[in-house]
Amino acid sequence: MASRPRKRRKALGGLAPIAFISLGLYTLWVIYPVFASATLSLTDARTNRQTMSFVGLENYTRMFSDPRLGRTFAFTLIVTILVTLVSNVGGVLFAMMLNNQAKNYKVMRTLAFIPQVLSGVVVAFMWRMMFNQNGLINSSALKYGWLDAPINWLGTREMATFCVCVTVAWASTAFCTVVYMAGLQSVPPELMDAARVDGAGPIKRFFNVTWPMLAPATTTCVVLGLIGALKLYDILAVLTSGGPANSTNSLAYYVIAVAFGNGHTGYGAALGILLLVLTAAVSAIATRILRKRETNL
Amino acid sequence: MKRPTNVLVAGLAVAFLLAAGCSNDSDSNVPGSQDESRSSEPVEITVLVTESEANTAEFWDASIAAASAKVPGVTVKKIVSIGDEYPGQLRASGQLPDVLGQVNVDDLHDTLMPYDEAWLEENFLFWESGVYSDGNVYTPSTGTQIVPLVFYNKTIFADNGISVPKTWSEFLDVVAKLRAAGVTPIEMAGGEGWAADIGMVGAVTTDVLGKDPEWIQKLKAGEAKFSDADFVGAVQKMIDLVEAGAYDPAALSADYSAANQNFLDGKSGMYPMGSWFIGKGYLTDEQAENIGVFLWPSDNGTAYLPTVAGGTFAVNKESPNAEVAMEWAKAWATNQESYKPLIENDAAFILLKNASLADLGVDVTPLYMEGYELATGDAATSVPSFRWTGGKNAIPSTVADGFMGMAQAVFTNSDAAALCADLDAQWAAAQ
């Protein structure tokens, strides 16, 4: 009996180097860059200047008088809300349709997941080929006489925002579908049977049994969806290049434009810190709310 | 309670050791050690290039090899740019290459090495046009492009009895006639900011810089503003074109390749684009035969030539191999073989003193010669092409970005004065 704690200590001792290395790498690759960015955000650093000075919180106060940041923030918020909503609703619907053990459904499940494994650049390029002036949608609709003139998909702020939401939601719905399908597997069949015996129809069974049992899957999909949408960059860079007239700049896109396009690295770093804080806060709040729902199960 | 503290301390120690390891590594590249080793060991320099349909990877590899052969002991590591922000990203991370192709001099001039004037004078025509506001030349003017030229479809013009316009009012008449004929009057790659603003570049260059070639210098000195009447007037012309139905309603959804294809397929009558469009990288000989070219029209018919006299390579003066890099860049710039593909595929109008087109043995179309005569003849007054030009007339990326956005914004915002005031605000923020 006396040897058990010694064995445990020995096992922990064996893991210690791995823990040290992990902590060291985490410090080097995560904590240090964040700390360096926070420090840079307190300076007037620019790429076309050799020197930089400490400016305190000037870069942060500048955000309040930056009109482009306001538009950027609004666009990011709209895309985040719409994409999270659409991909979760779509994910649940597809998951329920594909929740079948038959062999052909397995193939369909694999196909449903493909958009998620594609790179954002590929996804955006594909959709750009469809939304382009002579793209698949316009050319097909014109060919069959459904349209008299091509639709200006990417040419107005509203339409471009819509196209961004469709593209991002298409990719993230695939992820939600897989997560919700896993969630559906964990719904005990007895509960469904009991509900049926009690006379509950399909809609009642969904809202009273299935949906509550999907709470952990919802937490995963919503939180990761929010984080992904807030950090959106690659799809915008390829699909709209932030246009027209800079109307589809997300916060992440704007950070890159300010820091490297305009060369204002100090202000860009401050915007990066804003994005970090915003993402952390939104994720924490969403997790807290959704976890409460999980504990009510 | 001791264990977490120990783990934290040990972790931090590992991090610092790793960081120290990285520092030691980079310390071995101090300038002195490189310079001392140059005489006996080969030197590798990094060269940033931009690859395109016309300037392909094969072209760069061949021309880099040719230049390297002229500088003994030098090997080149080619780095391909991934966008306009890339040089800034590389600089911010301390990785700015030794030699830089097609960079915004205004953004990077303080880290660039000037070329010596005697060498420029000996080798290039009009090299003075590349002088930056501090009096130095950071990229030799190896060639020039005209941005924009207005290309037109000869068949469509002939079929509708349209002759080449020389004044703005004649240009508006052409737009009206093409529209009446059911042809999209002006092609536009509006989905890409750099291409969307080409027409606006023409209007601003002609109406603002045509009247006052020093206008950008005045802007930099605080003596001019975007909200000046001439600039607002040029933007208003773009709004007038949109309202006159000069563009396809979905023009802002067209990317560059779609716009090129539309024009070549005869879906549109005119296409303001850079002179590179004449190159064989974009046109076949057969297509070139049906295309004519004219300059962006001014109000009174005075012909202005919006030139982008620019070179290719700038040299990073902070590089430990700066002198070798400069030697290599000069070797590239004076190597005649480097220019043949640039002329044939990208339609560059070469400004070499010691070589004519015949000397270079290039195969070009009559359309190229038409453009070349415009670019090098006396028929038009040469003015710097707004937003595209380098040297002292370069503008910061942030303002260039705003200008490109404005060219798209005129499709939904018809308040030219407000748009220009917004650009003034961006200019102020960029200072």
Side-chain angles (χ1 to χ4, degrees):
Chain A
M1 292 294 285
S3 66
R4 194 175 285 173
R6 205 180 302 138
K7 269 186 184 169
R8 192 159 172 260
R9 271 204 300 275
K10 199 176 172 185
L12 284 174
L15 290 173
I18 296 170
F20 295 158
I21 290 168
S22 307
L23 201 59
L25 291 174
Y26 186 76
T27 306
L28 189 64
W29 300 117
V30 180
I31 296 175
Y32 171 70
V34 171
F35 179 75
S37 295
T39 309
L40 193 64
S41 75
L42 303 175
T43 70
D44 63 353
R46 291 190 183 191
T47 51
N48 64 352
R49 253 193 231 152
Q50 299 286 36
T51 56
M52 59 172 137
S53 315
F54 178 77
V55 294
L57 295 175
E58 198 178 289
N59 285 326
Y60 291 92
T61 52
R62 181 179 163 186
M63 290 177 192
F64 293 102
S65 56
D66 182 347
R68 200 167 149 189
L69 179 62
R71 294 196 291 267
T72 297
F73 196 82
F75 171 77
T76 309
L77 208 64
I78 289 168
V79 171
T80 302
I81 292 169
L82 288 178
V83 164
T84 307
L85 200 66
V86 170
S87 57
N88 276 276
V89 171
V92 171
L93 289 174
F94 278 114
M96 292 186 68
M97 283 193 282
L98 297 171
N99 188 29
N100 192 307
Q101 293 307 312
K103 197 175 180 180
N104 52 344
Y105 278 82
K106 283 182 184 168
V107 176
M108 286 166 71
R109 280 201 291 270
T110 307
L111 291 175
F113 192 60
I114 284 176
Q116 178 59 29
V117 297
L118 292 175
S119 138
V121 172
V122 174
V123 168
F125 187 75
M126 211 167 65
W127 279 94
R128 187 173 138 172
M129 300 292 280
M130 290 200 266
F131 288 134
N132 206 338
Q133 184 195 39
N134 301 332
L136 186 67
I137 301 174
N138 277 339
S139 55
S140 304
L142 288 167
K143 186 179 175 185
Y144 294 111
W146 301 332
L147 288 176
D148 294 327
I151 294 173
N152 196 11
W153 292 105
L154 301 170
T156 65
R157 186 181 60 185
E158 295 76 14
M159 288 299 280
T161 304
F162 169 76
C163 292
V164 168
C165 289
V166 167
T167 307
V168 181
W170 182 78
S172 52
T173 298
F175 173 75
C176 292
T177 302
V178 173
V179 174
Y180 281 119
M181 269 196 300
L184 287 175
Q185 307 290 318
S186 64
V187 178
E190 303 81 31
L191 276 181
M192 297 301 277
D193 293 340
R196 270 196 203 93
V197 171
D198 287 345
I203 294 174
K204 268 196 172 178
R205 283 205 301 277
F206 174 78
F207 282 108
N208 294 325
V209 180
T210 310
W211 180 237
M213 292 300 289
L214 287 176
T218 310
T219 306
T220 305
C221 289
V222 169
V223 174
L224 292 180
L226 288 170
I227 293 171
L230 284 168
K231 294 194 304 181
L232 186 64
Y233 175 80
D234 50 359
I235 287 178
L236 294 176
V238 177
L239 186 67
T240 65
S241 305
N246 297 317
S247 62
T248 58
N249 281 197
S250 68
L251 268 175
Y253 193 92
Y254 191 47
V255 170
I256 300 286
V258 168
F260 302 116
N262 302 349
H264 293 196
T265 36
Y267 185 46
L271 290 169
I273 296 294
L274 169 74
L275 179 59
L276 175 73
V277 171
L278 186 71
T279 309
V282 168
S283 315
I285 293 167
T287 306
R288 197 177 168 85
I289 293 169
L290 294 166
R291 285 265 188 247
K292 265 189 188 170
R293 186 169 163 253
E294 285 181 39
T295 53
N296 291 338
L297 274 176
Chain B
M1 291 298 286
K2 269 186 176 176
R3 189 176 292 269
T5 314
N6 290 342
V7 169
L8 185 66
V9 169
L12 286 171
V14 170
F16 285 126
L17 280 172
L18 282 168
C22 294
S23 303
N24 283 339
D25 199 29
S26 59
D27 283 348
S28 65
N29 286 329
V30 293
S33 63
Q34 285 283 346
D35 287 340
E36 283 159 21
S37 65
R38 248 176 56 196
S39 56
S40 56
E41 289 176 24
V43 175
E44 183 183 78
I45 59 171
T46 46
V47 176
L48 181 73
V49 302
T50 301
E51 291 179 355
S52 66
E53 285 173 64
N55 301 331
T56 60
E58 292 75 23
F59 158 70
W60 285 117
D61 291 342
S63 70
I64 285 171
S68 303
K70 293 186 173 181
V71 187
V74 168
T75 55
V76 170
K77 182 180 178 187
K78 183 182 80 174
I79 298 170
V80 180
S81 177
I82 53 171
D84 293 342
E85 290 99 5
Y86 197 49
Q89 289 172 332
L90 291 172
R91 185 182 186 186
S93 58
Q95 301 177 85
L96 196 65
D98 303 322
V99 180
L100 304 133
Q102 297 175 332
V103 291
N104 185 330
V105 171
D106 204 47
D107 289 344
L108 294 171
H109 65 275
D110 67 326
T111 193
L112 301 179
M113 177 182 269
Y115 283 81
D116 62 276
E117 290 186 11
W119 177 80
L120 291 164
E121 179 62 34
E122 185 188 339
N123 291 288
F124 300 103
L125 300 162
F126 317 127
W127 62 267
E128 297 91 342
S129 59
V131 174
Y132 188 64
S133 49
D134 61 4
N136 290 319
V137 173
Y138 296 109
T139 53
S141 300
T142 52
T144 185
Q145 295 273 9
I146 311 302
V147 187
L149 287 170
V150 184
F151 300 101
Y152 66 94
N153 185 308
K154 286 180 181 172
T155 308
I156 292 176
F157 267 45
D159 289 351
N160 294 282
I162 298 171
S163 51
V164 170
K166 287 201 167 81
T167 65
W168 182 249
S169 62
E170 287 172 6
F171 186 72
L172 290 179
D173 286 344
V174 172
V175 167
K177 282 180 184 171
L178 288 170
R179 199 164 149 70
V183 175
T184 301
I186 305 177
E187 189 57 53
M188 183 192 202
E192 300 186 36
W194 71 266
D197 79 348
I198 295 248
M200 197 179 276
V201 167
V204 168
T205 303
T206 302
D207 293 357
V208 181
L209 297 177
K211 283 183 186 169
D212 183 359
E214 296 300 311
W215 187 83
I216 296 173
Q217 294 309 301
K218 290 181 180 170
L219 184 72
K220 290 184 176 182
E223 296 162 10
K225 292 167 85 174
F226 290 110
S227 38
D228 289 349
D230 284 339
F231 199 97
V232 174
V235 175
Q236 184 60 48
K237 281 184 173 178
M238 293 300 102
I239 294 169
D240 293 345
L241 285 179
V242 171
E243 289 176 350
Y247 301 101
D248 186 282
L252 294 186
S253 295
D255 61 20
Y256 181 49
S257 62
N260 286 352
Q261 202 57 51
N262 286 342
F263 179 66
L264 295 175
D265 288 348
K267 290 180 181 169
S268 43
M270 297 183 284
Y271 188 24
M273 187 41 66
S275 52
W276 55 82
F277 187 65
I278 293 173
K280 291 188 172 184
Y282 301 95
L283 296 174
T284 63
D285 290 356
E286 202 174 43
Q287 287 168 329
E289 274 177 27
N290 191 37
I291 295 173
V293 61
F294 61 89
L295 293 170
W296 188 270
S298 62
D299 288 329
N300 61 9
T302 307
Y304 294 105
L305 191 71
T307 51
V308 187
T312 45
F313 289 117
V315 175
N316 174 8
K317 72 176 178 189
E318 288 158 13
S319 156
N321 301 312
E323 295 298 332
V324 182
M326 175 57 81
E327 197 184 336
W328 184 89
K330 284 180 176 178
W332 194 97
T334 50
N335 177 38
Q336 293 185 7
E337 280 301 304
S338 301
Y339 295 102
K340 199 174 168 186
L342 280 177
I343 295 167
E344 290 178 348
N345 298 329
D346 214 26
F349 303 134
I350 292 305
L351 299 173
L352 290 175
K353 256 186 184 170
N354 307 317
S356 65
L357 287 178
D359 295 335
L360 297 171
V362 291
D363 175 22
V364 293
T365 61
L367 180 61
Y368 175 91
M369 291 312 297
E370 205 178 330
Y372 186 73
E373 278 157 27
L374 273 176
T376 54
D378 298 328
T381 307
S382 177
V383 285
S385 173
F386 182 76
R387 212 267 291 164
W388 285 82
T389 196
K392 66 179 181 181
N393 289 311
I395 58 170
S397 297
T398 174
V399 181
D401 195 31
F403 185 77
M404 290 186 263
M406 188 162 75
Q408 295 171 318
V410 296
F411 279 75
T412 49
N413 186 344
S414 57
D415 188 343
L419 289 167
C420 293
D422 190 41
L423 205 57
D424 274 326
Q426 291 180 50
W427 178 270
Q431 303 311 306

